[in-house]
Amino acid sequence: MSVLTWIIITTLFGGALSVLFAAALTLNTRVSWVQMLVSYAIGALLGAAFLNALPEALELSKDPAQMTGTVLFGILLFFILEKLVLWRHCHLEECEVHDPLHGTADIVAAPANDHDHGRSGMLIMLGDTFHNFVDGILIAAAFMADIQLGIVTSIAIIAHEIPQEAGDFLILLNSGYTRRQALLFNLLSSFATLIGAMLTYFMLQDMNHLLPSLLGLAAASMIYVAMSDLIPGLHKRPEIDATIQQVALITLGISSIWLAGSLFSHHA
């Protein structure tokens, strides 16, 4: 097969495979478990940001200060985007923004039919799309260097994405989306891998300088959603047994990202 054929097949089916595998792990989960497993999703997000996206961005960037500035800009950008989503959902006075007793911190502790109107789900999908786009660039660049390197890199990226995609599914479900919507949005987001790969194949030199910034924005989205939209909800359960459970699941989420990165390095 030609290099272009390898790139198309790998990015198209590889991205879908990681999403479907993550879906099989999470979409059969009970609603009550979804709220509990949000702690795992927080760990997966923070692990993907601090152990994967940020180190790669800093490695590729010639100016670490500029890269950290990009992450800071990204966090502010996602704050503004969330405000816009809130404004769109809040044309009436009776909404969570106007009720000081009901806010984002109630997401996890609230009943299953109470959610954040899709805010964290929208933001995480935007960030995941950035990340998938960058994965496509990495896969195409590897295949253009060597077919075998491309195959190994693709396997690494697909395996590395599974725990993060599982976390994304949990966040979408917690954000009020149905299982079908969560699957559809993740599959659509995975197409960004193909787009990034195609652009790289036809204009590799022009894409290289975008890699650090895209990775920085992806990291910013993960950090923002975890810290702003998800962690405050955990504080609604201050009892010691709930806290131990939350810490354990956050650690498990971080560990799964670390283990995937150790076993399947992008630079293999």
Side-chain angles (χ1 to χ4, degrees):
M1 292 192 294
S2 68
V3 170
L4 180 59
T5 304
W6 272 109
I7 291 173
I8 292 173
I9 291 175
T10 304
T11 53
L12 194 60
F13 292 103
L17 185 65
S18 65
V19 169
L20 293 173
F21 193 83
L25 291 175
T26 57
L27 291 189
N28 291 322
T29 304
R30 296 177 184 176
V31 173
S32 58
W33 290 8
V34 168
Q35 293 183 347
M36 181 185 73
L37 290 176
V38 165
S39 298
Y40 168 84
I42 291 169
L45 283 178
L46 294 177
F50 288 103
L51 302 179
N52 181 294
L54 274 179
E56 284 190 36
L58 288 168
E59 185 179 332
L60 293 169
S61 176
K62 297 178 181 178
D63 187 351
Q66 183 180 6
M67 173 47 49
T68 53
T70 300
V71 175
L72 188 60
F73 167 77
I75 291 172
L76 180 61
L77 174 65
F78 288 112
F79 170 75
I80 294 170
L81 287 173
E82 185 168 30
K83 283 289 188 181
L84 291 174
V85 174
L86 275 173
W87 175 81
R88 187 168 73 86
H89 280 286
C90 223
H91 295 301
L92 301 175
E93 279 194 22
E94 291 185 9
C95 73
E96 64 180 72
V97 179
H98 300 118
D99 183 359
L101 299 178
H102 181 78
T104 307
D106 293 321
I107 293 171
V108 178
N113 61 350
D114 191 12
H115 50 74
D116 66 353
H117 301 294
R119 295 199 310 276
S120 55
M122 289 181 186
L123 294 178
I124 205 60
M125 279 296 93
L126 184 59
D128 196 38
T129 300
F130 278 128
H131 206 171
N132 289 337
F133 185 82
V134 170
D135 285 344
I137 295 173
L138 295 173
I139 289 172
F143 270 113
M144 292 169 73
D146 179 72
I147 295 291
Q148 186 175 358
L149 176 63
I151 293 172
V152 172
T153 301
S154 300
I155 293 172
I157 288 175
I158 291 166
H160 198 99
E161 281 292 302
I162 290 171
Q164 185 190 324
E165 295 286 358
D168 291 347
F169 273 114
L170 291 168
I171 291 166
L172 285 168
L173 294 177
N174 186 67
S175 194
Y177 292 93
T178 65
R179 285 167 166 76
R180 184 174 180 178
Q181 287 173 327
L183 178 60
L184 178 62
F185 289 158
N186 270 284
L187 284 172
L188 288 175
S189 177
S190 73
F191 281 110
T193 309
L194 176 63
I195 295 171
M198 290 296 93
L199 288 174
T200 302
Y201 181 80
F202 291 109
M203 42 192 283
L204 177 62
Q205 297 305 316
D206 295 329
M207 295 301 299
N208 275 344
H209 71 282
L210 293 177
L211 269 174
S213 296
L214 289 170
L215 281 167
L217 289 174
S221 74
M222 299 171 198
I223 294 168
Y224 181 82
V225 168
M227 303 299 290
S228 173
D229 286 343
L230 300 181
I231 285 181
L234 301 188
H235 295 316
K236 290 296 178 179
R237 296 182 61 199
E239 54 273 16
I240 188 66
D241 56 337
T243 301
I244 292 172
Q245 181 188 77
Q246 291 163 359
V247 171
L249 286 167
I250 290 173
T251 303
L252 180 62
I254 295 171
S255 300
S256 66
I257 294 292
W258 173 82
L259 184 62
S262 298
L263 295 177
F264 304 100
S265 171
H266 284 195
H267 305 291

